[in-house]
Amino acid sequence: MLTPRHQALLMTLAGMTVGVAVFGAVLVINGGNPFTAHDTPSGIVNSHPPSGTPTRTDGLQADSLQYVVQNFGSSNDPVSAEVPTGWKSAQAGTRPKFLDPTGVWQIRFDTRGSKQTPDELVANRERSIDEHDLKVLSRDGGTLIYTYTDRTRGPRMGLSRWISLDGGKSSAVEITVGGRPQDEAGLRAILQHATDTIKLPVAPGDNRPN
């Protein structure tokens, strides 16, 4: 006959056996992981990329841009214009260039001016571009818009504008922006913003090249 003490011991062992069996069943159901999707253990973070992070297939959107003033030119002929925030200077002086951190987009200026008209410079630039699959989309208003295929970076788009301060008789500055065809909306916005914000010195003499 089992004593009360032996009976209590047998009941305890039976309970432990049932507990082990239930835990094993849970492991089988959950594929060997005792933690379900809703029971992540403390210290483990489910990491997901931010939903707003752009990919290389996204186009540059005008409403995503913010701008900051950049100064360039020379000490005798200082120039300033607003370019997208975060773009870094890759070249200074009278022909500065600013690149976004990824190197996909850029804007550059040529502040040396020219005695040629904007329309003449548009025609000259069109003839001088030596790129594969060149396609001119527009050449109106002193602005050349074109696409081509870069052998390294693939399809590209360029927008070059020449600004006149004397009614179109000559050109004071060139602004060019570059990116991909899907960036057209953003590139147009950058070009227009630079056009609207550029500040040029009033030179006493005319020392522009032909």
Side-chain angles (χ1 to χ4, degrees), residues 23-206:
F23 185 76
V26 171
L27 286 178
V28 172
I29 293 172
N30 290 333
N33 184 357
F35 302 105
T36 67
H38 302 289
D39 294 323
T40 304
S42 177
I44 297 179
V45 179
N46 291 325
S47 178
H48 300 283
S51 59
T53 302
T55 66
R56 294 187 65 83
T57 58
D58 292 334
L60 181 64
Q61 299 301 314
D63 58 5
S64 69
L65 296 166
Q66 295 181 331
Y67 298 87
V68 63
V69 176
Q70 294 284 359
N71 298 295
F72 44 91
S74 65
S75 57
N76 293 330
D77 295 310
V79 181
S80 68
E82 293 187 9
V83 306
T85 302
W87 290 26
K88 302 300 182 181
S89 175
Q91 186 172 305
T94 58
R95 303 179 67 188
K97 180 168 63 176
F98 301 89
L99 302 173
D100 84 284
T102 68
V104 174
W105 310 302
Q106 68 176 38
I107 181 171
R108 65 176 177 81
F109 301 83
D110 188 340
T111 65
R112 297 173 299 171
S114 172
K115 294 180 180 179
Q116 292 183 289
T117 69
D119 288 340
E120 290 173 336
L121 291 172
V122 164
N124 291 344
R125 177 61 55 80
E126 180 180 350
R127 289 192 296 265
S128 68
I129 298 175
D130 182 20
E131 297 287 355
H132 188 59
D133 295 332
L134 175 65
K135 181 179 180 181
V136 174
L137 305 180
S138 174
R139 56 174 68 84
D140 300 326
T143 303
L144 180 67
I145 303 176
Y146 54 96
T147 60
Y148 62 95
T149 301
D150 183 271
R151 290 175 175 80
T152 302
R153 296 182 292 177
R156 301 288 294 173
M157 169 173 273
L159 298 85
S160 297
R161 173 174 293 169
W162 287 265
I163 299 173
S164 175
L165 300 179
D166 56 6
K169 298 177 182 178
S170 63
S171 301
V173 63
E174 174 199 343
I175 307 173
T176 293
V177 296
R180 306 161 302 178
Q182 64 263 38
D183 302 320
E184 182 174 358
L187 296 177
R188 285 181 178 271
I190 294 169
L191 177 62
Q192 188 58 50
H193 194 83
T195 301
D196 293 339
T197 60
I198 194 165
K199 295 182 179 179
L200 299 166
V202 179
D206 187 354

